[in-house]
Amino acid sequence: MSIKMPETLERLVLLDTELRKDYGRTIDDYIGFYISFNNDEDRYYCTPNDSIVFGRTGVNGDHFAFYTFKGSTIDLEEAPIIFIQPMSFGNEISLVARNLKDFLSLFVSLREIYILERFRFYNNKMDFINDYNENYFTGINSRESDLYFFIELLREKIKGIKEINDVYKYITELRKQLKLEIDKEWDI
């Protein structure tokens, strides 16, 4: 069965092509992942069977996927986004966004995707703010002009990308509202 790429990802692919052609850069240079739609080679032992991979980071097998709730979510534009990290034994899968546009909106708000892996460590909003300021702020600040350029292009090419004012609240509420039904049948 052929799986149709959602429109938002199609637009991201076009943006990646434009960046390569016009600037010699890629989506990975800005967001931190390579687009890789439904490629079986990007799946790992812990990738849920009912997920469709759309991007890989190139580090430790980490990848992002659409989660389909055992195939009941047919429109990938509406599918939740999970972050799979094969080397995070016991915590391989994290729910990170309600859908792809929200995932990109989180990037616009945070300017970094790897902080999404750390939400399980935060007991409250101050833990999140402190970790962001201590471990991410300086690196993000040093790339601010590149990020500004990319975010403007992203917003121009993909309508509906917006800032999420309270990322901590968004993630904690999302994880209360959506429960993943992951079958952990793998051996580590």
Side-chain angles (χ1 to χ4, degrees), residues 165-182:
N165 293 328
D166 190 337
V167 170
Y168 181 81
K169 181 178 179 182
Y170 172 90
I171 296 285
T172 55
E173 290 298 314
L174 173 69
R175 291 182 177 175
K176 286 178 191 173
Q177 295 166 4
L178 291 178
K179 298 295 180 201
L180 301 179
E181 299 170 17
I182 307 294

Side-chain angles (χ1 to χ4, degrees), residues 16-61:
D16 189 55
T17 303
E18 181 181 323
L19 286 169
R20 284 176 197 270
K21 180 181 167 232
D22 295 345
Y23 304 100
R25 313 257 345 241
T26 67
I27 292 287
D28 178 56
D29 294 323
Y30 299 98
I31 295 181
F33 72 87
Y34 302 94
I35 298 169
S36 178
F37 184 69
N38 200 27
N39 184 345
D40 284 338
E41 292 177 15
D42 291 328
R43 300 181 77 81
Y44 277 71
Y45 71 93
C46 56
T47 307
N49 290 333
D50 56 347
S51 66
I52 299 163
V53 176
F54 70 85
R56 59 183 172 73
T57 67
V59 178
N60 293 330

Side-chain angles (χ1 to χ4, degrees), residues 10 30 48 51 76 91-92 102 117 128 133 173 178 182:
E10 287 176 352
Y30 299 98
S51 66
L76 294 183
N91 294 296
E92 295 89 350
D102 278 9
E117 76 176 326
F128 160 67
N133 288 336
E173 290 298 314
L178 291 178
I182 307 294

Side-chain angles (χ1 to χ4, degrees), residues 49-131:
N49 290 333
D50 56 347
S51 66
I52 299 163
V53 176
F54 70 85
R56 59 183 172 73
T57 67
V59 178
N60 293 330
D62 293 358
H63 54 288
F64 295 94
F66 299 102
Y67 184 70
T68 68
F69 292 100
K70 301 189 185 324
S72 65
T73 302
I74 297 172
D75 182 1
L76 294 183
E77 200 67 46
E78 298 303 317
I81 305 302
I82 55 176
F83 190 13
I84 301 113
Q85 297 179 281
M87 299 299 127
S88 285
F89 302 112
N91 294 296
E92 295 89 350
I93 301 165
S94 300
L95 176 64
V96 294
R98 185 169 308 286
N99 54 49
L100 186 54
K101 282 188 180 177
D102 278 9
F103 176 73
L104 295 172
S105 293
L106 285 167
F107 170 75
V108 166
S109 301
L110 295 168
R111 290 164 165 59
E112 170 64 54
I113 60 167
Y114 259 98
I115 197 166
L116 296 174
E117 76 176 326
R118 299 171 65 95
F119 270 81
R120 70 179 176 273
F121 300 122
Y122 306 139
N123 293 316
N124 54 52
K125 190 173 181 176
M126 281 312 298
D127 286 352
F128 160 67
I129 292 169
N130 289 337
D131 184 47

